Amino acid sequence: MKKPLIGFLPLYVELYDLTTPEIRPDIDAFHEEVVKRLQEKGLEVINVPVCRLASEFASAVQKFKEQDVDVVVTLHLAYSPSLESEKALASVEVPIIILDTTPAYVYDQNTDDDALMKNHGIHGVQDMCNLLVRNKKIFKIFAGHIDHSDVLDRVAQAARTAMMVHTMKHSRVGMAGEPFHGMGDFQEDFSEMEKNLGIQTVPYDFAKADEIIKSVTPEELQKEYEADAEHFEIDPELPREVYDRSTKVCLAVRHWIEENRLTAFTINFLETEKDKPGLPVMPFTECCKAMERGIGYAGEGDVLTAAFTGALLSGYPEVTFTEMFCPNWRDGSVFLSHMGEFNYRVADGKPVLQEKPFPFTSADNPTVAYRTMKPGRAVFANLAPFGDGRYRMTLASGTMLKIEGPNKMEKAVNGWFKPDIPLENFLEQLSERGGTHHSVLVYGDEIESLSLFADFLGVEKIILTE
């Protein structure tokens, strides 16, 4: 998985180099130690020399922009007057994380006098943060000692969140067909999505896909079949003809993803037709395999949720596009499903590859691979558009339930999400806040990280807690 790329900005003041140059070696040593520790946390660090003057800050930030960092992480090595860094930080277009730490764990009445010069960074943090607030910059501060707290873990997690936001703002979402006619909740003008969130759309080239489908060789099909035999339980009654015609379309979609460097894509299943060039079969398994590889997906032409899924997949492997279908009032859970698309990484065992009837268009029956979603903690995440550049992220923690015994739903995408709050409250509040019927499920207790994702993205957030 990709490492978050951080621009590491060490702050200092020129006055101390002029008046107490003897402390600079210790300052530099602490700077390098923190860089090393951040690298050990799985971060890729773009380091710069200690910055004291406006020109040095400008040079550092310019380097970060050229390297296209996901986030800027600051460290006050001592006091640094905020007006030296203000202009450079005001120009930063990615989130800013402030690491508020010091070399000394204890500073009390017995501390040596010279320790003050090396441990008063909070003085500068407060100065700088006031101007960040006044300049309406997006930032998050994490305070604590590097050896006696989890501050570096929190910084690393926030950096991963910033990386996901960076992916979101640089999304390239492929569109196969137009959005489902009449399905209005997730739809927004594509130019508005690009202006407000940076999401670009890439149309599916039906004619080129048709050429690829026709050029797929028996050897390519056999290679994919052998890989699928390892990955799936293959229904012995699945005709090879059905497998081959589905796989040809899947390989064409995969080529489209790779050639266009897509971070996500969406397909309207109603665009499939038996005699339609480029999409004669709905490529369900490629939609699933793509999510497994970290490519976002959403159904029915939902560009926004596809981009959201792709962004979250850049930081978490166990993320899937999903929809709520039916409430189970007795158990306080809700049935999650979709026609044939979910991330195989969240399957509770090997998916079963089989033929699926497809009565919706003239398209031939496709192959699908189903398995119940695995149990575990999860967050239900919804991102909804409201026009005029407004978006709202609604989040709810809960548990994916363990399904024991016979399961009549096993020949469909299936899983039951039990929110931590009463199901009635969950359903009422989600719709009262305008949540769409397309959502994303993130495995793990990641509510804090997803909340920060909303902050870094600059959208409204609501966490359902009662």
Side-chain angles (χ1 to χ4, degrees):
M1 186 170 289
K2 177 186 171 186
K3 290 183 178 181
L5 180 64
I6 72 169
F8 189 71
L9 186 68
L11 293 90
Y12 198 55
V13 58
E14 183 188 42
L15 178 65
Y16 294 170
D17 279 342
L18 299 176
T19 58
T20 53
E22 65 275 11
I23 69 171
R24 184 59 186 269
D26 288 342
I27 294 294
D28 290 338
F30 185 60
H31 169 204
E32 294 305 322
E33 174 63 18
V34 174
V35 169
K36 184 185 79 170
R37 298 282 292 276
L38 290 171
Q39 290 170 332
E40 290 171 351
K41 293 295 181 182
L43 306 180
E44 186 175 347
V45 181
I46 303 298
N47 196 12
V48 294
V50 171
C51 296
R52 309 159 304 163
L53 305 173
S55 60
E56 295 169 347
F57 287 106
S59 177
V61 167
Q62 181 59 34
K63 182 176 181 180
F64 298 156
K65 291 179 179 179
E66 291 170 356
Q67 295 290 322
D68 195 26
V69 299
D70 297 312
V71 64
V72 170
V73 177
T74 70
L75 172 68
H76 276 76
L77 295 164
Y79 175 63
S80 178
S82 61
L83 290 179
E84 295 289 356
S85 60
E86 180 193 20
K87 187 174 180 180
L89 289 176
S91 74
V92 169
E93 297 178 351
V94 297
I96 298 168
I97 295 173
I98 297 150
L99 172 55
D100 189 6
T101 192
T102 57
Y105 178 51
V106 175
Y107 192 94
D108 64 9
Q109 72 277 13
N110 298 311
T111 303
D112 293 339
D113 291 343
D114 62 358
L116 184 146
M117 295 298 290
K118 305 168 191 175
N119 290 280
H120 68 291
I122 59 173
H123 194 63
V125 168
Q126 292 160 4
D127 188 354
M128 182 185 75
C129 285
N130 174 271
L131 292 189
L132 291 177
V133 172
R134 288 161 67 177
N135 288 327
K136 297 180 172 60
K137 300 304 294 180
I138 295 175
F139 72 94
K140 182 72 175 177
I141 182 168
F142 296 99
H145 191 265
I146 61 171
D147 292 322
H148 299 276
S149 76
D150 64 351
V151 68
L152 292 182
D153 290 324
R154 290 188 290 147
V155 167
Q157 181 57 60
R160 281 188 282 275
T161 301
M163 177 187 70
M164 293 187 285
V165 170
H166 190 269
T167 300
M168 181 81 176
K169 290 187 172 182
H170 292 78
S171 295
R172 289 176 55 81
V173 182
M175 283 192 62
E178 295 299 314
F180 193 111
H181 180 69
M183 197 174 281
D185 56 355
F186 58 73
Q187 292 194 35
E188 183 180 45
D189 185 88
F190 299 140
S191 63
E192 286 297 306
M193 260 190 278
E194 183 168 2
K195 180 178 76 173
N196 299 320
L197 295 176
I199 299 171
Q200 298 179 36
T201 55
V202 179
Y204 186 64
D205 190 331
F206 285 85
K208 188 169 185 178
D210 191 53
E211 293 175 3
I212 295 170
I213 291 169
K214 291 174 180 176
S215 69
V216 174
T217 66
E219 291 76 18
E220 289 175 298
L221 291 172
Q222 183 60 26
K223 180 180 179 181
E224 192 74 9
Y225 186 84
E226 290 172 0
D228 283 347
E230 292 291 325
H231 197 41
F232 304 127
E233 294 179 17
I234 298 180
D235 182 349
E237 296 183 3
L238 173 63
R240 183 59 190 259
E241 176 190 358
V242 174
Y243 175 87
D244 286 353
R245 72 190 181 203
S246 288
T247 301
K248 288 178 181 180
V249 181
C250 289
L251 292 176
V253 169
R254 191 179 305 171
H255 182 275
W256 172 54
I257 293 168
E258 293 171 351
E259 183 178 51
N260 291 280
R261 298 175 288 105
L262 301 182
T263 61
F265 69 107
T266 179
I267 298 177
N268 181 354
F269 67 91
L270 292 177
E271 296 284 344
T272 59
E273 297 288 350
K274 184 171 184 176
D275 298 322
K276 186 169 187 175
L279 207 58
V281 179
M282 179 63 194
F284 283 119
T285 55
E286 186 58 27
C287 299
C288 304
K289 290 177 182 178
M291 282 190 278
E292 194 176 28
R293 299 193 306 269
I295 304 297
Y297 177 80
E300 287 93 47
D302 184 353
V303 169
L304 180 62
T305 304
F308 188 33
T309 307
L312 296 179
L313 279 166
S314 71
Y316 304 117
E318 295 184 344
V319 169
T320 188
F321 165 69
T322 195
E323 292 184 6
M324 285 186 284
F325 275 76
C326 305
N328 182 349
W329 303 113
R330 183 194 64 190
D331 296 343
S333 63
V334 62
F335 177 59
L336 302 184
S337 186
H338 205 253
M339 193 178 300
E341 310 101 308
F342 79 117
N343 183 348
Y344 294 139
R345 288 183 183 271
V346 307
D348 192 12
K350 278 188 175 184
V352 179
L353 188 68
Q354 57 203 286
E355 180 178 1
K356 177 182 177 65
F358 194 80
F360 308 101
T361 71
S362 66
D364 287 320
N365 288 348
T367 55
V368 295
Y370 293 136
R371 198 78 183 193
T372 302
M373 296 184 210
K374 67 182 182 180
R377 294 290 295 167
V379 179
F380 193 88
N382 183 273
L383 182 62
F386 290 93
D388 299 323
R390 296 182 303 118
Y391 301 86
R392 178 178 296 155
M393 190 179 301
T394 306
L395 305 169
S397 292
T399 301
M400 290 299 292
L401 300 180
K402 176 69 175 175
I403 306 304
E404 305 282 2
N407 180 0
K408 292 182 178 180
M409 306 291 183
E410 64 185 2
K411 290 191 175 181
V413 175
N414 70 102
W416 281 260
F417 176 73
K418 183 179 176 65
D420 289 341
I421 63 175
L423 177 63
E424 295 86 346
N425 296 6
F426 170 65
L427 295 175
E428 290 170 359
Q429 293 179 44
L430 180 67
S431 290
E432 285 172 354
R433 287 156 176 78
T436 68
H437 78 287
H438 283 179
S439 296
V440 182
L441 187 73
V442 182
Y443 273 77
D445 279 312
E446 302 296 348
I447 196 79
E448 290 186 11
S449 176
L450 291 169
S451 173
L452 186 57
F453 183 103
D455 294 339
F456 282 172
L457 189 60
V459 301
E460 181 186 355
K461 71 179 177 188
I462 295 173
I463 301 175
L464 306 184
T465 58
E466 60 183 22

